[in-house]
Amino acid sequence: MVQSVPDVAAKTLPTMFDLPSENPEDPGLPDEYHLRQLPILHQTCRPPNYPWEQVFTAGNMHVYYDIDHLNWYKRPDWFVVVGIPKLYRQQYLRNSYVVWDEGVSPLLVIEFLSPGTEAENLGNTHREPGRPPTKWQVYEQILKIPYYAVFDSETNQLRGFQWQAGCYQEVAISGQGWWIEPLQLGLGVWRGCCDGVNRAWLRYYDAQGQWIPTQEDLMKQAEQQAEQERQ
């Protein structure tokens, strides 16, 4: 789908308005787990060192990264960019994320492992001649994304990789989770009920180890407070 937007100045390089944002033939389209997990990440990724209007998060969105190959993109399960407006050009919801137009790469990318994607997400596949680079190659060698996490929703294992000296180095994750210094937040595995489903979920916590509340948490707190006041 290409969105037509009036009164947008033409540019030499294409922007998100010029590039496709959907491809039904792509593998790995969102399943039920993705649909419940992504809102938790969106709602709890609230870095205290950035204004909320300067934090952009997205899931299953095309990320265009190569101006010489305009049909090449990757679609991370989830990513966050800091220091840019939440709205594109301060007024539009994004259809896709075009790195050369935005000028900033994602700070953190998260991929959810599945049998069909595990090898590529962990860097265990090789680029075929004439084909686009793999996700791992794009994240590590082209965009050089500082933080990369993979989560196995079957085993509830979280693994983290940090870009150092030109490549990804796996970090040891212990305790509550993985502290990501530029966000001033930790990413951890929390077990609880979300949207009526009790299981392990990825979510963020603050410097005191407190889980950042979701909208569901805030609604429950408001209901409890109203009940206490009523009594």
Side-chain angles (χ1 to χ4, degrees), residues 28 31 33-34 37 76-78 109-124 135-136 139 148-161 170 199 202:
D31 55 19
Y33 168 74
H34 285 67
Q37 173 64 84
D77 286 328
W78 189 88
V109 164
I110 299 175
E111 295 285 359
F112 304 123
L113 298 183
S114 66
T117 63
E118 181 174 358
E120 181 174 9
N121 289 342
L122 292 176
N124 296 325
K135 275 188 174 181
W136 184 280
Y139 299 162
Y148 175 48
V150 295
F151 181 64
D152 188 329
S153 60
E154 295 296 327
T155 64
N156 300 325
Q157 181 186 23
L158 172 65
R159 298 175 65 184
F161 302 86
E170 186 164 6
R199 56 154 295 137
L202 278 184

Side-chain angles (χ1 to χ4, degrees), residues 147-150 157-164 168-181 186-189 205:
Y147 298 88
Y148 175 48
V150 295
Q157 181 186 23
L158 172 65
R159 298 175 65 184
F161 302 86
Q162 188 169 353
W163 197 91
Q164 296 177 336
Y168 279 137
Q169 302 288 337
E170 186 164 6
V171 299
I173 297 180
S174 60
Q176 189 169 357
W178 182 22
W179 183 255
I180 301 174
E181 186 64 30
L187 178 66
V189 181
Y205 58 89

Side-chain angles (χ1 to χ4, degrees), residues 218-228:
L218 296 175
M219 290 178 59
K220 290 179 180 178
Q221 292 172 11
E223 291 172 355
Q224 292 173 356
Q225 183 176 355
E227 178 64 20
Q228 291 174 357

